Amino acid sequence: MDEAEPFTYDGGRVDPGETQNLRYTVSETYLGDPVRMPVTIINGARPGPTGFLSAAAHGDELNGIEVVREVAHEWDLSGLSGTLVCLPVLNVPAFLAQERYLPIYDRDLNRSFPGDPESTSAKRMAHRVFRNFIAPCDFGLDFHTSTRGRTNTLHVRADMSDEPVARVANAFASNVIISSEGPSGSLRREASNEGVPTITIEMGEAHRFQRPFIDKALDSVRSVLAEFGMLSTEVVRWPGWRTVIEHADEKTWIRADAGGLVDMHHERGGLVYEDEIICTIANPFKTDSTVVRAPFTGLLVGVLENPLVYPGNPLCHLVHLDERTLRALERSREEPVFSANPEHPPPV
């Protein structure tokens, strides 16, 4: 591509060198009023690929919103090559209600892509979003958090058997990548099937901004933009160590075998060794307790936040670490943290 091109959508266009903030109508309320989704499109003056950043496909998952907003409105993108489509709140009705799903028959927008203009309200909304702002792109980053009552460490979910998707996932520079095609109707699966390699980023918990996750994700967005040549001032990053979980026996949701109150002995992102106690479950009198142990050595990518469980409720999400990755992780946690103060430089 020798010259930058305009980005077009139904009802408008953004020319090279322009930025446009709009509220795009994706549906209507019971009163017939428009449901409008916020969109920011930054079209660089230089030619390059088009990428989308999306968040809040589930309306109570807020961390990604701040990632997308900061990229769109706080970064200096004057040297951008290509186009960024920033979609901070995909699921406006659920966001307004502060619920996970669309409050219209409790449907999941992230199981409704690529949508259908003649189907349910969720699929009609998904269709307008997908056709106008997802399908024209060359790659995508879709930000999520855990559902309420649980929390995730920052990790990527991507189909690593798909080479273009793997390129995006590797560039994002997370320590953990869980490889899977993704559920039918999910944004990352349907976008990737349409030739727009897309990954899901999981980080933190619902209903809050968590600054450490947001800052780490912003660094990884810079890494992806560097990989695609969109920001010449940035570099592709390496996270220090990485594990790619590709097989079902390398991960497990550990579930409660008893009801009660949970005492979690490890935090999100914790390293646990085979047969180590992860948590205990006890009744209100602490007269009867159940000990939950790690079935293998691994990393807790997700843990319970709400300590009340019924039998069968998930307690934690554990992913396996091979010997090499385990040693790299152990070394990284043993390294001292040095001050950035130039008066006290790290030892040589």
Side-chain angles (χ1 to χ4, degrees):
M1 190 185 303
D2 296 327
E3 296 183 0
E5 298 182 350
F7 182 93
T8 60
Y9 57 90
D10 284 353
R13 61 182 275 160
V14 185
D15 289 318
E18 291 185 351
T19 294
Q20 187 175 124
N21 296 315
L22 62 140
R23 295 179 184 269
Y24 195 78
T25 299
V26 293
S27 189
E28 294 180 358
T29 70
Y30 292 129
L31 298 175
D33 298 322
V35 174
R36 298 186 297 175
M37 179 183 71
V39 184
T40 298
I41 301 167
I42 305 104
N43 195 350
R46 300 178 180 89
T50 298
F52 76 84
L53 311 179
S54 60
H58 297 132
D60 58 356
E61 299 182 1
L62 307 184
N63 275 327
I65 295 175
E66 190 61 13
V67 174
V68 179
R69 288 202 311 161
E70 290 197 23
V71 172
H73 304 295
E74 295 187 22
W75 283 15
D76 178 5
L77 296 173
S78 58
L80 181 69
S81 297
T83 304
L84 280 178
V85 179
C86 297
L87 308 164
V89 182
L90 285 179
N91 193 338
V92 172
F95 174 77
L96 294 175
Q98 271 302 278
E99 297 177 0
R100 179 176 175 85
Y101 300 127
L102 282 160
I104 310 160
Y105 302 115
D106 212 28
R107 294 187 185 275
D108 189 346
L109 183 64
N110 202 38
R111 297 295 183 272
S112 303
F113 293 102
D116 184 336
E118 298 180 352
S119 185
T120 65
S121 55
K123 289 191 174 182
R124 291 177 186 225
M125 186 183 301
H127 173 75
R128 288 188 63 78
V129 172
F130 196 90
R131 181 165 56 89
N132 283 285
F133 303 111
I134 305 300
C137 295
D138 298 299
F139 68 91
L141 308 177
D142 185 32
F143 293 91
H144 288 257
T145 76
S146 185
T147 189
R148 64 183 181 180
R150 300 202 295 269
T151 183
N152 288 329
T153 190
L154 190 148
H155 66 278
V156 163
R157 298 185 182 183
D159 184 359
M160 298 300 282
S161 67
D162 184 327
E163 187 173 340
V165 173
R167 179 188 179 192
V168 181
N170 287 326
F172 193 79
S174 70
N175 295 117
V176 177
I177 300 173
I178 298 178
S179 181
S180 69
E181 188 178 15
S184 177
S186 64
L187 180 55
R188 72 173 171 100
R189 174 170 174 171
E190 302 305 333
S192 297
N193 287 344
E194 289 289 323
V196 184
T198 299
I199 65 172
T200 292
I201 301 96
E202 293 280 353
M203 54 179 196
E205 57 190 285
H207 292 294
R208 65 192 63 205
F209 284 163
Q210 295 168 290
R211 196 69 232 179
F213 284 120
I214 293 166
D215 289 340
K216 191 172 182 180
L218 286 167
D219 286 340
S220 290
V221 172
R222 291 187 180 95
S223 181
V224 173
L225 298 187
E227 169 67 23
F228 284 86
M230 298 178 74
L231 287 179
S232 60
T233 56
E234 300 295 339
V235 296
V236 180
R237 299 164 187 258
W238 168 247
W241 62 271
R242 172 177 286 156
T243 184
V244 179
I245 307 301
E246 296 182 311
H247 305 293
D249 60 357
E250 296 177 312
K251 60 186 177 182
T252 185
W253 274 101
I254 298 175
R255 295 182 178 273
D257 289 330
L261 290 82
V262 179
D263 182 11
M264 189 69 65
H265 302 317
H266 295 271
E267 296 182 351
R268 173 193 61 225
L271 172 62
V272 296
Y273 296 89
E274 184 175 356
D275 207 38
E276 185 175 1
I277 296 175
I278 296 176
C279 64
T280 55
I281 307 171
N283 64 25
F285 309 105
K286 292 195 171 183
T287 57
D288 185 24
S289 63
T290 300
V291 174
V292 179
R293 297 180 181 273
F296 51 76
T297 297
L299 194 75
L300 293 170
V301 296
V303 297
L304 191 72
E305 286 285 300
N306 183 343
L308 311 180
V309 294
Y310 280 114
N313 284 169
L315 297 167
C316 60
H317 191 190
L318 181 67
V319 299
H320 179 262
L321 297 178
D322 61 31
E323 197 66 25
R324 181 178 179 181
T325 305
L326 174 62
R327 298 295 169 242
L329 173 56
E330 290 173 331
R331 286 195 300 271
S332 73
R333 296 190 174 186
E334 291 170 358
E335 292 174 357
V337 177
F338 298 113
S339 170
N341 189 331
E343 295 181 1
H344 302 281
V348 178

